[in-house]
Amino acid sequence: MTYFPEEVVEHIFDFLGSHGDRNTVSTVCKAWYRVERLSRRNVFVGNCYAVRPERVAARFPRVRSLSVKGKPHFADFNLVPPDWGGFAATWIEAMARGCPGLEELRMKRMVVSDECLELLARSFPNFKALVLVSCEGFSTDGLAAIATHCRSLKELDLQENEMEDRGPQWLSCFPDSCTSLISLNFACLKGEVNAGALERLVSRCPNLRSLRLNRAVSAETLAKVLTKAPQLVDLGTGSFMLDHRSEAFHKLFDAIQKCKSLRSLSGFWDASPLCLPAIYTICANLTGLNLSYAPAIQGFDLIKLIRHCWKLQRLWVLDSIGDKGLAVVASTCKDLQELRVFPSDIYGAGSAAVTEEGLVAISSGCPKLNSLLYFCDQMTNAALITVAKNCPNFIRFRLCILEPRKPDAVTNQPLDEGFGAIVQSCKDLRRLSLSGLLTDQVFLYIGMYAERLEMLSIAFAGDSDKGMAYVLNGCKNLRKLEIRDSPFGDAALLEDVGKYETMRSLWMSSCDVTLGGCKVLASKMPRLNVEVINERDESDELEENPSDLHKVEKMYVYRTIAGPRNDAPDFVWIL
Amino acid sequence: METSTCSKKIVQLRSSDGQLFEVDEEAAMSSEILKNMIEMGMPSPLPLYEVDATTLAMIVESWNRRLQEKRGEITEAELERWEEEELLKSKEPDGDAICVLLAANYLEDEHLIDRAGEAIAHHIKDMTVEEVRDYFEIENDFEREEEEKVFQQNAWAFH
């Protein structure tokens, strides 16, 4: 056996990017385990309750970048009650004690308090990047702490968080000596910021590449900011409301022309179509465009704008773009890789949005398409089969027909064949969301063909336990399965209990699983946490001691090496 | 007749198994160890106790090529291709890349350490544990339970 000095081994590990590869080499032998754990810089924790934070800090004391995810994905649809869990505090405390060299923290769907942010700001002298996605529990006071104490801050990225506004002072807390910002995103902030402080901050940060403002920032302020930061690559405008005949508009127009490096745009709150000419000249360079906050930009104005954007790789729009608009996207944006079409009117009172025609047009015009989120009124099997043929490269395919259980709009059949074609054709499919009328047949197809599938979202679908069983028996790479309002019960749940140790998590709500079934699962699989989430219901007399036959409203099951968690509220029972 | 001003200084190196190599001094300076020995005026031949003749031959050739690239006699792309295909045999990897990495580490040649490290990492990407052990000829010294525990922690927590 050759002797490998530790630094040689470390040199090899330096070039191993993925967590999977790092995990592999850590099990080669004891020496490699030790070298690997002391040299791992990026740690990813997919479920904050799968491992205790102290364990992470102990194993990887030299971690520089930590990512942690908390609540299950269906929390985005308000299916997870507040106070369920996902508290960031224990993580930040453990890192503060064990890993003072931490430079980056990324958290998704976690509860982050101002106290946590204060602790974070004070505990890590080299802290550089904070990214919070879909988090809650903090306010602008927490941001003030970060701004005040993180001397080398490069990135502050807040995406879709629920945060309390306690005033605009936080932005002024960045000291004059702060010149290192590369990325600043506060688009989700509700309150105002001090325009002067914003301009001064932007002026003194020459490396600023990405800036996303919130709705409260006026177009006049935007113009001033852009003149100080013409090097921006990614811009989220604030409010885009201006009189196009005004002096202010001309100033904005001039400022935008100078931003030759802009590749990605978002924001556009309250945008009037008459102001769009301000961005026409830079459209030809755009690779990313998000118009999902601009309902006033539609029809002819939207089409005219899209015609300028022939290099787009990523487009997020509202369904008011219509099938005609999507046809223009198809003929203009040949490099399109990701498309998201959001519903502009969830209550269905408006005019027809997008249908299967728009999707078919996109699929035939944009062969590089690999990621789709499509909210629509209707779909057909024929369309999905055509899409599958045109675009075999889908990695993410999420179709959301607004009305549950809606059949094929032409034949009135279930959409089993359409989705079947998608999974059969798209060999690299990793994420799939289903909708429309679906029988157990679609799950047979998924189990049979979706070999690389990692995440599956099911709502109002299937006929019987067989459906869920097909998926559990078939998809060998399945990591996350989330199911709501579908007729799957204990037989499906208990079909292959060992399967759940190969997955990150299973969520089932409004299904037919009973308390008894959950208890059986918990007793057979002690290394899983089986959580039953009961919300207060005054009319429910069985609250105190429900029978095992009682159907469980919400269940969340996940593998863990941390044992049952001790921070669960009383409405969560860990069996 | 005037000789060229860049009259090449030669150093002599001796491999661990006794073979002698003559190398351009400038080329040999790629190695921090040799650079120090040369600057300290150590007498030839300079002994390299941990690099055998086969490996040293490959390393010397890589230094010569780097010198050629520096002098504009070959392009950077040509150098990189030679390093990848000939030196590190990235396409049909055998033990060569590992020998080169060990030698480069001993010789303190940063460039080669990076190149070889990267080539090996690329080769073992997506391998299973058993495949990695085979490639490096490393024995598994974990107890069965320990190994399972690490494996489980990796898969359940860090993936």
Side-chain angles (χ1 to χ4, degrees):
Chain A
M1 182 172 126
T2 326
Y3 168 65
F4 288 100
E6 288 193 1
E7 68 265 22
V8 169
V9 178
E10 207 176 313
H11 282 310
I12 300 173
F13 293 174
D14 282 344
F15 294 99
L16 286 177
S18 78
H19 306 291
D21 287 331
R22 278 234 165 218
N23 288 342
T24 300
V25 299
S26 71
T27 50
V28 163
C29 65
K30 288 184 184 174
W32 281 40
Y33 174 81
R34 195 180 58 248
V35 173
E36 196 283 316
R37 78 176 190 84
L38 294 175
S39 64
R40 192 182 297 208
R41 298 272 179 261
N42 299 323
V43 175
F44 170 74
V45 176
N47 175 1
C48 66
Y49 289 121
V51 60
R52 289 194 199 281
E54 298 75 26
R55 194 78 202 81
V56 178
R59 181 165 167 194
F60 302 115
R62 299 195 191 147
V63 59
R64 298 244 176 95
S65 169
L66 175 67
S67 300
V68 189
K69 290 177 152 189
K71 299 184 200 179
H73 170 242
F74 273 174
D76 290 356
F77 307 105
N78 298 318
L79 288 177
V80 178
D83 305 331
W84 168 82
F87 304 109
T90 49
W91 286 88
I92 295 176
E93 283 156 14
M95 288 294 128
R97 274 194 298 271
C99 311
L102 192 70
E103 295 182 5
E104 298 181 5
L105 182 62
R106 289 176 170 68
M107 297 197 140
K108 186 167 185 178
R109 292 193 200 96
M110 298 202 51
V111 178
V112 183
S113 65
D114 285 342
E115 289 73 33
C116 280
L117 291 178
E118 178 95 25
L119 179 64
L120 175 70
R122 292 183 189 277
S123 306
F124 306 107
N126 293 334
F127 199 73
K128 296 192 168 73
L130 178 63
V131 180
L132 299 177
V133 180
S134 302
C135 294
E136 56 174 340
F138 61 103
S139 77
T140 45
D141 287 353
L143 300 184
I146 299 285
T148 306
H149 300 292
C150 298
R151 299 285 148 145
S152 344
L153 197 68
K154 289 191 176 166
E155 186 177 345
L156 178 60
D157 187 357
L158 307 168
Q159 299 176 32
E160 293 176 56
N161 300 294
E162 292 272 335
M163 38 180 303
E164 196 192 326
D165 173 52
R166 295 217 186 126
Q169 317 82 275
W170 68 276
L171 198 61
S172 310
C173 290
F174 282 103
D176 290 343
S177 54
C178 171
T179 57
S180 47
L181 279 181
I182 294 180
S183 170
L184 176 62
N185 173 4
F186 57 89
C188 64
L189 183 65
K190 298 281 191 312
E192 302 203 343
V193 294
N194 182 308
L198 177 62
E199 284 170 58
R200 286 188 299 274
L201 179 61
V202 168
S203 304
R204 64 180 185 271
C205 293
N207 296 322
L208 195 65
R209 290 280 168 278
S210 169
L211 178 65
R212 296 193 182 187
L213 309 172
N214 69 350
R215 193 177 189 174
V217 176
S218 69
E220 288 87 356
T221 303
L222 175 63
K224 292 188 190 148
V225 164
L226 287 181
T227 50
K228 305 279 193 331
Q231 77 283 2
L232 284 179
V233 172
D234 166 56
L235 172 67
T237 73
S239 163
F240 213 69
M241 187 158 67
L242 267 185
D243 182 338
H244 67 288
R245 296 157 298 188
S246 67
E247 176 67 26
F249 174 78
H250 289 296
K251 285 195 173 141
L252 180 59
F253 186 99
D254 289 340
I256 291 180
Q257 307 321 303
K258 298 200 171 76
C259 297
K260 306 276 187 218
S261 306
L262 271 183
R263 295 290 172 269
S264 152
L265 282 182
S266 58
F268 296 107
W269 281 284
D270 313 308
S272 151
L274 296 168
C275 291
L276 290 182
I279 63 168
Y280 284 165
T281 50
I282 52 157
C283 281
N285 293 327
L286 290 183
T287 55
L289 181 61
N290 180 356
L291 295 170
S292 57
Y293 293 108
I297 303 180
Q298 46 176 298
F300 177 69
D301 299 303
L302 179 53
I303 287 176
K304 194 166 170 205
L305 177 62
I306 300 277
R307 285 203 200 281
H308 284 88
C309 304
W310 55 278
K311 280 198 193 148
L312 276 189
Q313 293 173 17
R314 187 177 48 85
L315 175 64
W316 293 17
V317 283
L318 292 171
D319 59 5
S320 46
I321 192 173
D323 289 335
K324 285 211 176 69
L326 288 178
V328 174
V329 173
S331 61
T332 311
C333 309
K334 294 307 182 184
D335 287 338
L336 197 69
Q337 292 176 29
E338 178 185 325
L339 174 67
R340 295 196 192 189
V341 180
F342 293 100
S344 47
D345 183 1
I346 314 181
Y347 303 101
S351 53
V354 294
T355 71
E356 73 276 8
E357 284 181 25
L359 186 57
V360 169
I362 290 282
S363 75
S364 60
C366 308
K368 295 185 190 172
L369 196 66
N370 61 43
S371 176
L372 179 76
L373 172 62
Y374 196 78
F375 282 85
C376 59
D377 279 347
Q378 64 181 56
M379 188 49 55
T380 66
N381 282 307
L384 285 174
I385 290 169
T386 305
V387 168
K389 213 164 55 191
N390 291 339
C391 293
N393 299 318
F394 275 117
I395 296 175
R396 279 168 232 107
F397 190 89
R398 294 193 277 164
L399 183 67
C400 304
I401 304 166
L402 291 166
E403 191 189 311
R405 300 197 189 89
K406 191 157 184 187
D408 180 314
V410 168
T411 66
N412 247 9
Q413 292 299 299
L415 291 174
D416 302 333
E417 298 306 309
F419 279 105
I422 294 284
V423 294
Q424 203 175 346
S425 163
C426 304
K427 311 252 184 269
D428 289 328
L429 194 68
R430 291 204 305 255
R431 184 170 180 183
L432 177 64
S433 294
L434 305 170
S435 58
L437 181 66
L438 295 164
T439 72
D440 288 344
Q441 184 70 13
V442 73
F443 300 113
L444 176 67
Y445 290 141
I446 292 172
M448 224 160 40
Y449 295 113
E451 286 188 0
R452 298 254 169 93
L453 194 66
E454 294 178 2
M455 182 169 176
L456 179 62
S457 304
I458 301 171
F460 301 99
D463 306 314
S464 76
D465 289 330
K466 281 215 293 259
M468 185 170 161
Y470 289 140
V471 171
L472 292 175
N473 289 332
C475 302
K476 19 188 235 297
N477 285 305
L478 196 64
R479 290 208 206 159
K480 289 185 280 184
L481 179 59
E482 46 183 26
I483 308 173
R484 58 169 293 188
D485 294 280
S486 300
F488 306 135
D490 295 342
L493 179 69
L494 300 172
E495 160 88 13
D496 179 4
V497 293
K499 176 78 175 173
Y500 306 124
E501 283 193 348
T502 70
M503 291 166 52
R504 189 186 295 169
S505 65
L506 167 69
W507 168 281
M508 293 180 77
S509 57
S510 306
C511 295
D512 293 341
V513 169
T514 69
L515 184 57
C518 295
K519 285 183 180 173
V520 170
L521 177 60
S523 70
K524 284 191 173 178
M525 304 297 295
R527 298 189 300 185
L528 301 177
N529 276 358
V530 179
E531 296 193 5
V532 171
I533 301 165
N534 311 288
E535 286 170 284
R536 298 286 134 206
D537 183 358
E538 284 101 44
S539 66
D540 189 354
E541 285 154 10
L542 300 171
E543 235 187 72
E544 280 311 308
N545 228 334
S547 90
D548 284 358
L549 296 173
H550 181 82
K551 277 195 194 166
V552 147
E553 187 50 39
K554 295 170 184 174
M555 180 199 74
Y556 184 48
V557 176
Y558 53 91
R559 64 186 176 184
T560 176
I561 58 172
R565 60 181 173 114
N566 53 14
D567 63 357
D570 7 317
F571 58 81
V572 174
W573 299 347
I574 303 185
L575 300 181
Chain B
M1 191 167 58
E2 214 178 35
T3 50
S4 132
T5 46
C6 50
S7 61
K8 298 172 191 174
K9 279 179 99 181
I10 305 281
V11 290
Q12 241 192 7
L13 308 177
R14 190 175 65 225
S15 71
S16 58
D17 41 356
Q19 202 170 322
L20 293 173
F21 288 80
E22 288 201 337
V23 189
D24 219 306
E25 187 181 278
E26 197 183 340
M29 299 286 225
S30 304
S31 152
E32 275 302 304
I33 292 264
L34 288 178
K35 183 161 176 278
N36 291 337
M37 287 184 183
I38 292 167
E39 283 169 357
M40 284 191 327
M42 268 183 78
S44 272
L46 301 174
L48 299 175
Y49 299 114
E50 289 186 31
V51 188
D52 64 29
T54 321
T55 312
L56 189 52
M58 293 192 285
I59 304 244
V60 165
E61 191 176 348
S62 86
W63 290 340
N64 287 336
R65 288 195 185 235
R66 266 148 69 192
L67 199 55
Q68 284 179 315
E69 193 268 333
K70 201 164 137 196
R71 290 177 181 158
E73 292 162 28
I74 61 173
T75 67
E76 199 180 330
E78 284 168 335
L79 173 64
E80 271 179 31
R81 203 179 54 231
W82 179 83
E83 283 175 343
E84 253 179 58
E85 291 173 15
E86 299 299 325
L87 180 67
L88 299 166
K89 304 234 180 23
S90 302
K91 297 219 172 91
E92 348 106 39
D94 52 15
D96 278 355
I98 297 178
C99 293
V100 168
L101 179 58
L102 288 168
N105 185 59
Y106 171 76
L107 291 163
E108 292 179 27
D109 178 343
E110 285 294 320
H111 172 99
L112 216 46
I113 289 173
D114 275 348
R115 282 273 184 271
E118 191 173 1
I120 295 172
H122 186 75
H123 177 55
I124 66 175
K125 197 169 119 68
D126 297 332
M127 271 191 180
T128 64
V129 184
E130 290 83 11
E131 286 168 338
V132 175
R133 287 187 190 129
D134 279 343
Y135 179 63
F136 288 95
E137 292 173 11
I138 293 181
E139 259 175 51
N140 177 11
D141 60 351
F142 275 114
E143 302 291 336
R144 180 73 187 272
E145 287 130 36
E146 267 180 306
E147 189 183 349
E148 267 175 30
K149 218 170 120 189
V150 174
F151 191 80
Q152 185 191 57
Q153 196 183 88
N154 285 344
W156 293 23
F158 302 119
H159 198 55

